[in-house]
Amino acid sequence: MNDFVPPPVDWAAVSPVLIVLGAGVLGVLLEAFVPARARRVTQLSLALVALAGSLVAIGLLWDRVQDGAVSVVGGSYLLTPFGLGVQAVVAVCALLGVLVVAERTTTGQDAFAPAAAAVPGTAYEDETRRAGLQQTEIYPLLLFSTGGMLLFPATDDLIVMFVALEVLSLPLYVLCATARRRRLLSQEAAFKYFVLGAFASALFIFGVALVYGFAGTVRLQEVVAVLADPSTSPLGTMPALVVVGLLLVLSGLLFKIGAAPFHAWTPDVYQGAPTPITGFMAACTKAAAVGALVRVLFTLANGLTPSIRHDLEVALWAVAILTMLVGTVAGAVQTDVKRLLAYSAIAHAGFLLVGVVGMDETGSQAVLFYLLAYGLASIGAFAVVTLVRERTVSGDDVPGDGPVADDGVVLGEATRLAQWAGLGQKAPWLTAAFSLFLLSMAGIPLTAGFVAKFGVFSAAVEAGAWPLALLGVLASAVSVFFYVRVIVLMVLTPAPGHDAAPAAGSGAPAGSPAERGEGTTGGTATLTGAATRTLVSRTVVTVVGSRGPAAFAIAVCAVGVLLLGILPAGALDLAAQAAQFRP
């Protein structure tokens, strides 16, 4: 006889996660049944509606959690004010990130390969490109990853947290390998992310096993109860076991944040992944991982003995200092825009840890506001990068014949810093938006970044960690150098006359002697006749036009960064309401 009694489930409390995951499942079905010509619009609409619906569900739950945490299935899903706040940040950033992903620019192409499974450089890949195939599976993968991110900070069960970690990570491993251009670099980035992510997941679950060995449970609140009375532990008093387990769990979470010494994947993955996916990861993954880290630390801090808590604080200090040092020093010498933003993300992970070390509500409030401010600036910055492209130009290099004609071949993003010289003359509004995002990351007054950094440093000082706050201020001052360097390059440095060397493989126009193989040498061809003419092919930098989604996302991010910097009171009040733990 089956005596199983199903537990009651509060479906309303779980609705922010269920809406997104349900839409992801529906998106998989749409791939099978919707005609190819309507698939992209259908998938995009479904993703936007699902994320907006999740955000609405979060808003409807806001007043409810202020009266106390909502526990579902014995804490497997535990919705606290802070967890709901992190979900709101993730939903907002994911919504903006999907808009950037949907951008096809005036070239008519998005950032994703027409067939990601095709081997780069093969005839099959060329056929899929000529056929105009579209990789619309991107949207269900984004929804599944977002669903994992929404669950990650909203559980009291370490096993459920591990499941959420895998749900958010596995789609990202695939998405990183789907870049339309620089395919090998993209696949290399995905492989590195997958291998190192697997190690981080192994560390996390091994730490969970050690915690379970000490406490006989994986529920954080029950672990706290055992820590308060070690005599109830199945193994007796073995504090070293739970300390090692806790450090391993934190290692897995710090990997997702991109904190040193678990940061090695960040620059390569950020550079190789499709730029819209990079922005999505930089904002949403960091927010979800920081939310989970805060939940684990702040919950267990209540049961740790003073000596164990001191050891944990020392470890957090060391990680925060090392992360800020690596991010600022390495970021100052980067020559690639995406790698520069990657090291910027590492430095910001260190600033976030400065606010975490106090393990109090003031720190959680500052961290929540910081996640929103950084998320908006990060998505906006990477959205700008997607619009700055390389373009091949070719024509006859005969004096007096006028300018070289443009053959209209738009390549990938122009990510070398030297290529951004003089960008302010080509696209002043785009340059202004990118400068605003960089200034916010630097923490310049009247931007969201200034209020965010002031909050985390103030929280550290209030917790007695003023030396760490001082180091954070110094690191932030150093980071201003490489942010301002980019702005000076865009605004005050003139664009070079020849932006790059001849483009490999760009060739001569169709039907020319160069194409037929007559007298070709490198990028030139000699023509018969009275005059010697040279065919020139080179690469210049251009700003492609947006068809709407990316431009709208950039505008929203820019307005958000300004409003949070000039009128932060409303957002700070909401962060204060969310910065509570009532399990």
Side-chain angles (χ1 to χ4, degrees):
M1 181 178 178
N2 187 1
D3 296 329
F4 173 75
V5 178
V9 178
D10 188 343
W11 298 108
V14 193
S15 59
V17 180
L18 291 182
I19 291 173
V20 175
L21 292 180
V25 174
L26 181 58
V28 174
L29 297 177
L30 292 178
E31 284 295 316
F33 297 107
V34 174
R37 63 181 179 276
R39 201 173 294 158
R40 179 181 177 274
V41 175
T42 305
Q43 292 281 24
L44 175 59
S45 301
L46 176 64
L48 293 177
V49 169
L51 292 171
S54 178
L55 196 57
V56 170
I58 291 170
L60 295 176
L61 289 169
W62 191 265
D63 291 334
R64 180 179 174 186
V65 297
Q66 299 304 315
D67 299 328
V70 179
S71 179
V72 181
V73 194
S76 294
Y77 184 85
L78 185 65
L79 194 59
T80 62
F82 182 81
L84 195 63
V86 174
Q87 287 184 340
V89 173
V90 170
V92 169
C93 293
L95 192 59
L96 294 172
V98 168
L99 289 175
V100 181
V101 168
E103 178 60 57
R104 300 183 68 185
T105 73
T106 52
T107 64
Q109 297 177 344
D110 56 22
F112 304 97
V119 178
T122 60
Y124 175 65
E125 183 186 38
D126 294 336
E127 291 176 4
T128 60
R129 185 178 293 112
R130 285 193 295 267
L133 298 183
Q134 300 181 60
Q135 199 79 48
T136 52
E137 295 91 340
I138 298 297
Y139 298 101
L141 289 174
L142 284 172
L143 290 175
F144 284 129
S145 183
T146 304
M149 294 173 188
L150 294 173
L151 178 60
F152 204 26
T155 178
D156 194 53
D157 191 307
L158 290 176
I159 294 297
V160 176
M161 188 175 291
F162 174 74
V163 172
L165 173 64
E166 295 304 297
V167 171
L168 77 89
S169 299
L170 292 176
L172 291 178
Y173 300 150
V174 177
L175 291 169
C176 288
T178 59
R180 175 177 289 271
R181 300 173 181 86
R182 301 186 178 98
R183 294 288 313 284
L184 290 176
L185 184 64
S186 177
Q187 293 180 358
E188 177 188 352
F191 184 73
K192 289 179 179 178
Y193 193 23
F194 170 72
V195 172
L196 295 178
F199 278 110
S201 297
L203 292 176
F204 184 95
I205 197 64
F206 188 59
V208 173
L210 294 180
V211 172
Y212 178 79
F214 170 79
T217 180
V218 291
R219 301 286 172 85
L220 291 175
Q221 289 302 312
E222 296 176 5
V223 173
V224 170
V226 175
L227 287 171
D229 185 9
S231 62
T232 60
S233 170
L235 299 179
T237 56
M238 292 185 63
L241 189 65
V242 72
V243 170
V244 174
L246 181 58
L247 290 178
L248 290 175
V249 169
L250 295 181
S251 297
L253 297 176
L254 291 172
F255 172 86
K256 280 300 175 186
I257 295 172
F262 311 101
H263 69 285
W265 63 276
T266 310
D268 292 338
V269 173
Y270 276 37
Q271 183 182 23
T275 303
I277 300 302
T278 305
F280 176 80
M281 288 193 301
C284 300
T285 305
K286 192 181 295 293
V290 170
L293 176 70
V294 169
R295 171 174 287 281
V296 172
L297 281 178
F298 287 33
T299 302
L300 294 182
N302 296 326
L304 296 177
T305 63
S307 60
I308 296 178
R309 175 162 178 158
H310 176 267
D311 294 341
L312 183 59
E313 289 177 350
V314 170
L316 287 176
W317 275 54
V319 172
I321 293 172
L322 182 61
T323 303
M324 291 186 293
L325 180 66
V326 170
T328 53
V329 174
V333 297
Q334 296 304 308
T335 58
D336 185 275
V337 174
K338 292 177 72 174
R339 293 185 72 88
L340 184 149
L341 292 175
Y343 280 105
S344 168
I346 294 172
H348 283 284
F351 299 143
L352 283 163
L353 291 176
V354 171
V356 170
V357 292
M359 303 185 199
D360 54 19
E361 289 189 5
T362 303
S364 60
Q365 174 187 353
V367 165
L368 196 58
F369 184 89
Y370 199 113
L371 291 174
L372 178 59
Y374 172 75
L376 293 176
S378 183
I379 290 177
F382 282 107
V384 171
V385 174
T386 63
L387 301 178
V388 182
R389 302 287 187 87
E390 295 175 338
R391 179 189 290 272
T392 58
V393 293
S394 60
D396 295 342
D397 190 23
V398 175
D401 277 10
V404 176
D406 191 341
D407 66 6
V409 179
V410 177
L411 305 176
E413 290 95 351
T415 59
R416 288 187 293 111
L417 276 180
Q419 295 177 299
W420 287 59
L423 188 67
Q425 300 175 358
K426 302 175 183 178
W429 287 106
L430 201 66
T431 302
F434 193 66
S435 300
L436 175 63
F437 299 139
L438 294 180
L439 292 175
S440 180
M441 293 181 186
I444 301 302
L446 300 182
T447 64
F450 172 78
V451 180
K453 288 187 177 181
F454 182 83
V456 294
F457 295 154
S458 298
V461 171
E462 185 176 325
W466 65 265
L468 188 60
L470 178 60
L471 291 175
V473 172
L474 294 177
S476 183
V478 173
S479 69
V480 172
F481 163 74
F482 56 81
Y483 294 126
V484 174
R485 180 177 59 139
V486 179
I487 297 174
V488 170
L489 188 68
M490 295 188 298
V491 178
L492 301 180
T493 306
H498 295 276
D499 293 345
S506 56
S512 69
E515 187 186 48
R516 296 193 302 267
E518 301 175 7
T520 59
T521 303
T524 63
T526 303
L527 307 183
T528 58
T532 300
R533 304 168 68 88
T534 303
L535 293 180
V536 177
S537 180
R538 58 190 175 90
T539 303
V540 299
V541 175
T542 185
V543 177
V544 296
S546 168
R547 289 191 172 182
F552 180 76
I554 292 171
V556 171
C557 290
V559 171
V561 166
L562 282 176
L563 287 180
L564 292 178
I566 299 174
L567 301 171
L572 289 174
D573 289 341
L574 292 175
Q577 295 176 22
Q580 303 174 50
F581 289 85
R582 296 173 180 171

